[in-house]
């Protein structure tokens, strides 16, 4: 007897190796998966949300346009907020700073690093969270974050699936021109937006699902839909898989989805590398129960030995 309905994921391809580079853009789900990719690949091979968490397709598209440009800067949307801090309409609060110069340096440094990764990327993960966005009433710009400014400064809008498709078609074509071998994986965040009501949240997800399906059908050789949303909604289907707020996912649910991603994208070599790196990271993070000199010396010796063995085994990655 089956107690759940398995959701079919893309056929295992194993296209990621220890030399691969990965970029993720989108909602907090992209953040969660990005942390796991960073733990599984060499340092500097992963860029996760270099603009901070982005929720709607328009803000993610604007971020991607900046990344695709060779010269455009990320500081064109800086402003001083009511809280006295400097923010960017293109970025989440992670980049806010006490001074304009600090904010500018933060966003442009992140942009430069993300461009480096994108130009080497083998996989680009795009996670749409909601079809709803807010535009600055004064300029019409879709903002990534309202930064607690006055509600009267914004107009609220819901994107249709057709609008999303039209916005993203030229971006996908440009990405393919930049990186002909790039894989693009679309996901829809399982996070539900209770503040708009669960019915409205499902309508938003429906728009995103229709849009991602259309984009993947138009470019089947490059774009893939990964069903993280369906795994949570249809395969797991129980509140025990959620955090205590019953909105966010529980850590074990994120890990379950991550395992499905690995089955699809990881080559045997990358799986081996990731397992070796995980063992090294666990030992590195270990602290002895008794912090006497002998225990510390023994632990440090084990750490040095394992690190040396790891680097020797994977030496071709560090040349």
């Amino acid at each position: 007897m089956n107690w759940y309905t398995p959701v079919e994921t893309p056929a295992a391809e194993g296209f990621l190796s220890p030399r691969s580079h990965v970029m993720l853009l989108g909602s907090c789900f992209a953040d969660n998966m990005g942390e796991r990719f960073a733990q599984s690949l060499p340092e500097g091979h992963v860029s996760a949300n270099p603009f901070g968490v982005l929720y709607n397709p328009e803000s993610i598209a604007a971020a991607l346009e900046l990344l695709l440009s060779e010269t455009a800067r990320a500081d064109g949307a800086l402003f001083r907020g009511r809280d006295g801090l400097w923010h960017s309409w293109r970025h989440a609060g992670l980049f806010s700073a006490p001074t304009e110069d600090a904010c500018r340096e933060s966003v442009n440094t992140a942009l430069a690093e993300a461009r480096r990764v994108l130009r080497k990327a083998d996989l680009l993960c795009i996670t749409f969270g909601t079809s709803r966005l807010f535009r600055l009433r004064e300029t019409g710009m879709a903002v990534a974050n309202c930064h607690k400014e006055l509600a009267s400064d914004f107009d609220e809008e819901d994107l249709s699936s057709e609008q999303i498709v039209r916005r993203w078609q030229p971006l996908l074509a440009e990405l393919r021109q930049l990186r002909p071998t790039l894989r693009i994986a679309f996901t829809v965040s399982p996070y539900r937006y209770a503040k708009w009501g669960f019915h409205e949240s499902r309508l938003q997800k429906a728009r995103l699902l229709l849009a991602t399906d259309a984009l993947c059908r138009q470019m089947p050789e490059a774009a893939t839909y990964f069903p993280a949303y369906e795994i949570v909604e249809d395969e797991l289907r129980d509140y025990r898989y959620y955090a205590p707020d019953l909105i966010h996912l529980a850590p074990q649910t994120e890990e379950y989805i991550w395992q499905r991603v690995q089955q699809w994208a990881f080559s045997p070599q990358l799986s081996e590398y990731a397992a070796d790196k995980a063992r090294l990271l666990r030992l590195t993070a270990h602290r002895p129960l008794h912090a006497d000199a002998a225990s510390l010396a023994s632990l440090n010796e084990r750490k040095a030995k394992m690190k040396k063995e790891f680097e020797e085994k994977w030496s071709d990655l560090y040349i």
Side-chain angles (χ1 to χ4, degrees):
M1 180 181 293
N2 291 330
W3 291 97
Y4 69 96
T5 304
V7 170
E8 185 177 347
T9 54
E13 296 184 54
F15 58 90
L16 293 179
S17 76
R19 292 188 176 276
S20 295
H21 289 70
V22 176
M23 171 165 282
L24 304 96
L25 294 170
S27 75
C28 51
F29 180 74
D31 261 1
N32 294 333
M33 293 299 106
E35 290 178 7
R36 289 167 167 79
F37 271 114
Q39 291 170 357
S40 301
L41 284 161
E43 186 176 351
H45 283 224
V46 177
S47 176
N49 276 344
F51 291 74
V53 174
L54 304 174
Y55 298 99
N56 69 80
E58 173 59 34
S59 292
I60 301 171
L64 193 53
E65 282 179 332
L66 277 171
L67 290 168
L68 286 167
S69 170
E70 292 283 357
T71 58
R73 293 171 60 85
D75 56 7
L78 301 188
F79 72 99
R80 188 172 186 178
R82 295 187 303 143
D83 56 5
L85 296 176
W86 282 85
H87 310 278
S88 167
W89 292 123
R90 296 292 189 201
H91 295 72
L94 175 68
F95 293 89
S96 299
T99 67
E100 182 179 7
D101 286 344
C103 188
R104 177 179 292 108
E105 181 179 1
S106 178
V107 299
N108 284 321
T109 299
L111 177 65
E113 173 60 15
R115 279 176 176 159
R116 181 190 64 79
V117 174
L118 180 60
R119 277 151 181 74
K120 297 180 179 180
D122 302 283
L123 175 64
L124 171 63
C125 297
I126 303 292
T127 301
F128 293 154
T130 174
S131 60
R132 186 162 295 190
L133 57 81
F134 295 87
R135 293 188 185 275
L136 272 176
R137 187 163 292 173
E138 184 178 357
T139 65
M141 175 193 292
V143 301
N145 194 295
C146 293
H147 297 294
K148 298 183 179 179
E149 294 299 299
L150 296 173
S152 57
D153 292 341
F154 306 96
D155 290 317
E156 198 169 341
E157 177 184 338
D158 246 321
L159 296 172
S160 68
S161 57
E162 292 80 11
Q163 287 175 304
I164 298 169
V165 171
R166 287 196 300 270
R167 181 71 169 95
W168 275 82
Q169 282 173 327
L171 285 174
L172 296 185
E174 190 173 352
L175 281 166
R176 285 289 284 174
Q177 186 174 9
L178 173 71
R179 291 283 295 170
T181 60
L182 178 68
R183 305 291 187 95
I184 304 164
F186 283 100
T187 61
V188 172
S189 171
Y191 177 91
R192 297 171 301 154
Y193 289 86
K195 66 178 179 179
W196 290 313
F198 289 131
H199 177 65
E200 176 58 30
S201 178
R202 286 188 176 274
L203 292 176
Q204 292 177 26
K205 301 298 184 184
R207 297 182 192 108
L208 300 176
L209 290 167
L210 287 168
T212 54
D213 181 70
L215 291 169
C216 291
R217 288 178 183 274
Q218 291 174 14
M219 195 176 285
E221 72 283 0
T224 302
Y225 176 73
F226 190 87
Y229 179 80
E230 289 78 7
I231 289 173
V232 174
E233 291 287 308
D234 298 319
E235 184 169 320
L236 301 182
R237 298 188 67 169
D238 195 295
Y239 276 114
R240 62 182 166 167
Y241 298 111
Y242 286 84
D245 65 3
L246 304 182
I247 299 294
H248 291 86
L249 301 183
Q252 63 266 31
T253 307
E254 295 168 355
E255 183 61 27
Y256 182 81
I257 297 172
W258 171 242
Q259 290 174 8
R260 304 289 288 275
V261 172
Q262 288 177 296
Q263 292 168 7
W264 164 56
F266 276 35
S267 67
Q269 187 187 32
L270 179 54
S271 294
E272 182 180 358
Y273 174 87
D276 287 350
K277 184 177 179 181
R279 283 191 290 270
L280 177 61
L281 291 175
R282 283 196 298 270
L283 182 61
T284 302
H286 180 71
R287 296 293 180 269
L289 183 61
H290 303 290
D292 57 89
S295 297
L296 287 173
S298 176
L299 178 60
N300 290 335
E301 184 177 344
R302 287 173 56 205
K303 289 179 180 179
K305 182 175 182 291
M306 181 177 283
K307 182 179 179 182
K308 181 181 179 182
E309 290 173 348
F310 176 81
E311 291 177 348
E312 287 177 349
K313 179 177 179 179
W314 302 101
S315 59
D316 59 321
L317 298 176
Y318 296 92
I319 297 174

